[in-house]
Amino acid sequence: MSESSKIGVFATRLKEYFDNQLRLILHHAQMSQDRTARNDSAWSALVESLIRPLPDEDDASHDQRRDDAKGLAASIINGHPGSSLVPDVHHLKDLIRQQVQNNGDTQPEKDPRVCNVLSRLLEHPVLSRKQAVLLFLFKMAEGPMSRSESSQHGRALSSRNSNNLLSKTSGPGSFEDAFASNGLPPLPAHEDRSRRGKAVIDNERQSQRSRDGSSASTPGNELADEPNILEDSKPTEASLLHDLPFTLQGLSTKHLPFSSRFTLDLPPTLPLPMISLLRNLAEPSLLYRSLSDFVDSQNAGLVAQSLRSAIGMELRSYLGLIATLEGEIRRAMASIDPKEPRGAIGKAGVTLRRCVVWTREATMGLRLMSLIAEEAKTRKGGQLITMVHSFSSSHGDPFVAAFAERMLTQVTRPFYDMLRQWIYDGELSDPYHEYFVHEHALPRDSSSAADARRAPATSVWEDKYTLKEDMIPSIITQEFARKVFLIGKSLNFIRHGCGDSAWVEAYCKDASRELQYGDTATLEISIDKAYKTTMARLIDLMDNKFQLFEHLRALKKYLLLGQGDFIALLMESLASNLDRPAGSQYRHTLTAQLEHAIRGSSAQYDSPEVLRRLDARLLELSHGEIGWDVFTLEYKVDAPVDVVITVWASKQYLIVFNFLWRIKRVEFALGSTWRRCMTGARGVLATVDTESGRDWKHARCCIAEMIHFVNQLQYYILFEVIEASWDQLEAAITKPGATLDDLIEAHIAYLEAIVHKGLLGSARSSLTGSREDSFASQLHHILKTMLAYKDVVDGLYSFCVAEFTRRQEKSARFETQKKKKRGPAGIEDEDPRRSPSPIPAASAHKHLNPTTTATANNNDPNHNRAESPFPISTGALLATTTSAAAGGDSILPALRQRLGDLSKDFRHRVNVLLGDLMAQPDADMKFLGTVMNFNDVYSPKKRRREKGAGKTAATVKEGSGNKGAGEKEKEKEGSGNKGEKEKEKEKDGMEKQEKGKGKAKGKEGELTV
């Protein structure tokens, strides 16, 4: 192809391209014209729908008024200067909604309809000047008439019968004034306009209007005279932007002064949108002022100081934001052209609205800090940390949660410093009492039973530190806080109570590390490791250095009668001394007997440290007591073992020992009487079997019954109660990871189980509610009855020995008389009615010595004691027994009656006790009742529940060594009555005996002296 042809083709294609572009431009122009025509048609139809004919108005006036309204609408939509007043379409939407809501007569269901229409208008794709449309609608809604008139006017426009209603509510003059060429006032003239800071509209503008001439004025000239509110208002936005950095720092400026410490005055000449923006910008300035005062305050507390420091850092960051904002404002002010409307401040990139957006997050942070500062006035320490942590953990706003989390890093530093020093050094550094561990707690009530179980008030472990649960911060759990508390308390106890400060210092150097908020995994590992190390060291010291477990075993062996051979030898060696009155007992004698029992038993192989602490002592003496009543063993412990074996624990051991010692004494006494009876049955008692054989048979059965009862009771307490509880204690103290608190609680549970299951509890009976019906009181009376029965059996034995001696003397005198009659030559036969005694008289007197020793101290009627009621006064009875040789068989009926009464009383009390045991929920107590009545020889009695205190056969109080005056008088009266009855019985017996002797004188004259 030639060159000319190529040029032709290129020119043709170029022409086609320009033609296409021209057609495209014309098409767009046509579309623009069509869009403009559609817009004009739309708002013209809107105006025509709003302008309705007035009553008595001709067509010409109506057309003129409609044309004026169209011209006013066109001037507003197509470039009225007032359109620049409200540049925000959404703000205009809110103003229209507010205008609708302020209309008192508007129906509530119309508000959603207005919102729907406005939303559809804003989303409409055809309208290009939506701002002007909304401004027009807003100005159409305003007017100089009152609120009631405007509401009635709105109802008239929306009603089908608008002509009639309009003529009744408003005249044509007010309507024409509303659609005058100057238009409606640019801002609503409400009563609270000055309070909101809106611009004051000049009232002269309405006075210059003429109702008659307003319709004849030219819209264009009136629009030209409409002032620009933003340009004429003082101060301008530029001047406000100039003062804004100082206002945000809480400083007064020319246009935004502070009238008081927390009051900022806004210019009253500004429009409502600008007032709203300034209100948003005034909030951070006021918050900054209040927070600055809080930072400068001098509130006590390390955590509070840390909080003020954290708030101060955030305020410095806020000042950095203000500095950046000030730089932007200065650059924008330098680029403003004063010739352009409003100085073209929007083109400069910095406006009040943008400043609100830039300071929004800072304002939220200031709000949160202000709330925290207000709450911090009534909180401290862990409570303050909990309050800040609640915003971080439970607040739904992510910004608030992140902000509080950032502040916690600074606020918790003093807390973690105290925590580190507590768990690694065992010392509490808390000068303002902000930590959850409190030193030197208030003295506790010593009357409380729970506190009495603990160590004395001087104990480092119990009373030096206490855990305050209300000060535990929410960043740690209750279990975690308890571990921390035990770690520090254990380290402090090791340092001061155990005297091992060298180990604590070495441990602190090796294990100490920095702790901070957020590193939860490292913190938990550190606490667990410190807990295990500290607890293991403390238990090792208590076991090896201070021999705590060895002391517990010694208490079980000696005070709980676990060392059987030692207790048997001690009781045998002390029996003769303890039968004497309490005033004749000497401690050195008891100590010597105690050492003799130790050397003569397997106790000699125990540790000298244990034997050194064992001692014999006497309780407080009372009148009429014997050695059995005041003797006791004592095991001395000192610090730091007294943290576990407290004063309360020592008292419980003493109670259990006295009870077991009482049972042992009854067993020893019954065993001695049983051996004497068995020995005498083959000797002395065989000669008098015709008179007292039946009595001895009943006595031996009853004594065997009592021995069985005592043996089963001892077995139950020593094995079923003490040994079982000891196994539980050993399991608790040898458990891995056991703490000193665990040892204390296990030891308390051990003693409580022994006291409760060992029938020594002080609780009332579940049946009658009486103290006298408790198990300890019932056992007290049963043991008392056993000793009384034993004394009567000894009296019967003495009577039999005396009768044997009397018969031996009679036989000797008879032999002497026979020899005198017979002379030296012959030997007469012996009396066939008398058989020779198998035991000589000299040996018979040996059987009298044991009873005389046992009864020598029982002549005092005031001898009975509640704690040790074993010695039963039978002085009058045995005194009569000693004179049995002279009085014959007069005492035997009294002894027989006494034995029968005591046997019945013993069985009755045992039946009641077994009935109460079977009614107990504890399985071990039921087992004791079953063992004691394995062959159903007893008939357990189930007592009914009584409102008052149940009455028993005896009136002796449980556990008390002293009786009331009333009870003593009753006992004296009872003993007097019994003495009189016994004397009467003795007289009757003597008379019967004399009558029998008179009848037998003829037959047995040779036996009468």
Side-chain angles (χ1 to χ4, degrees), residues 640-703:
V641 180
D642 61 348
V643 174
V644 178
I645 307 173
T646 60
V647 176
W648 174 85
S650 300
K651 291 181 179 179
Q652 300 303 307
Y653 278 115
L654 182 61
I655 292 173
V656 177
F657 171 78
N658 289 335
F659 178 66
L660 294 176
W661 183 256
R662 187 183 309 172
I663 297 176
K664 275 290 183 182
R665 184 216 169 169
V666 173
E667 180 193 25
F668 180 77
L670 291 177
S672 301
T673 302
W674 177 263
R675 288 191 296 271
R676 187 180 302 119
C677 293
M678 293 297 102
T679 304
R682 297 187 297 271
V684 177
L685 302 181
T687 60
V688 293
D689 187 60
T690 56
E691 296 182 2
S692 59
R694 186 179 183 86
D695 298 329
W696 278 112
K697 193 174 296 183
H698 287 296
R700 282 192 292 268
C701 291
C702 190
I703 290 177

Side-chain angles (χ1 to χ4, degrees), residues 28-292:
H28 282 295
Q30 184 65 30
M31 289 182 64
S32 177
Q33 292 176 0
D34 295 340
R35 185 183 298 109
T36 303
R38 288 197 302 270
N39 293 340
D40 293 341
S41 176
W43 62 260
S44 297
L46 178 61
V47 172
E48 289 180 356
S49 64
L50 294 175
I51 304 302
R52 300 294 182 90
L54 296 176
D56 300 333
E57 184 184 20
D58 54 359
D59 295 338
S61 299
H62 175 66
D63 294 340
Q64 180 64 32
R65 190 162 53 85
R66 184 180 56 190
D67 294 339
D68 292 341
K70 288 184 178 180
L72 178 58
S75 62
I76 292 174
I77 294 175
N78 295 327
H80 188 271
S83 62
S84 61
L85 285 176
V86 187
D88 191 355
V89 176
H90 296 282
H91 185 63
L92 284 172
K93 174 184 175 182
D94 295 337
L95 291 177
I96 294 173
R97 289 182 57 192
Q98 184 177 4
Q99 182 68 20
V100 174
Q101 293 175 358
N102 291 337
N103 191 352
D105 297 333
T106 304
Q107 299 178 0
E109 61 270 11
K110 287 187 177 181
D111 185 45
R113 294 171 55 191
V114 172
C115 296
N116 187 20
V117 171
L118 291 176
S119 300
R120 291 170 56 191
L121 177 63
L122 293 178
E123 295 174 358
H124 203 284
V126 177
L127 299 179
S128 60
R129 303 187 65 182
K130 301 174 183 178
Q131 171 188 354
V133 174
L134 291 177
L135 181 59
F136 168 73
L137 294 176
F138 177 68
K139 287 184 176 294
M140 291 291 292
E142 293 180 332
M145 50 188 166
S146 63
R147 181 177 300 177
S148 61
E149 292 176 349
S150 63
S151 62
Q152 293 174 3
H153 181 62
R155 289 196 303 271
L157 290 177
S158 60
S159 175
R160 293 182 179 179
N161 301 324
S162 59
N163 295 334
N164 297 331
L165 292 174
L166 188 59
S167 63
K168 295 179 181 179
T169 55
S170 61
S174 60
F175 185 79
E176 293 176 358
D177 183 58
F179 288 94
S181 59
N182 291 334
L184 297 174
L187 292 175
H190 296 300
E191 294 177 357
D192 57 348
R193 182 176 301 167
S194 60
R195 183 171 63 252
R196 296 183 181 179
K198 294 182 179 181
V200 180
I201 306 300
D202 190 5
N203 295 330
E204 296 180 359
R205 186 171 58 181
Q206 293 184 3
S207 63
Q208 292 175 0
R209 294 178 183 175
S210 175
R211 295 176 181 268
D212 298 332
S214 59
S215 59
S217 60
T218 305
N221 296 333
E222 295 297 333
L223 290 174
D225 294 338
E226 180 71 15
N228 192 330
I229 297 176
L230 185 60
E231 293 177 357
D232 294 343
S233 61
K234 299 297 182 180
T236 62
E237 186 174 2
S239 60
L240 294 175
L241 286 172
H242 180 270
D243 295 343
L244 183 60
F246 301 97
T247 303
L248 293 176
Q249 298 179 58
L251 302 175
S252 295
T253 59
K254 178 182 178 181
H255 303 294
L256 300 172
F258 283 91
S259 60
S260 64
R261 183 63 183 168
F262 301 108
T263 304
L264 179 63
D265 293 337
L266 301 180
T269 59
L270 295 177
L272 183 61
M274 192 170 292
I275 290 294
S276 177
L277 295 176
L278 290 178
R279 286 173 63 90
N280 292 333
L281 292 172
E283 182 182 1
S285 63
L286 297 175
L287 293 175
Y288 177 81
R289 277 199 164 197
S290 63
L291 291 174
S292 298

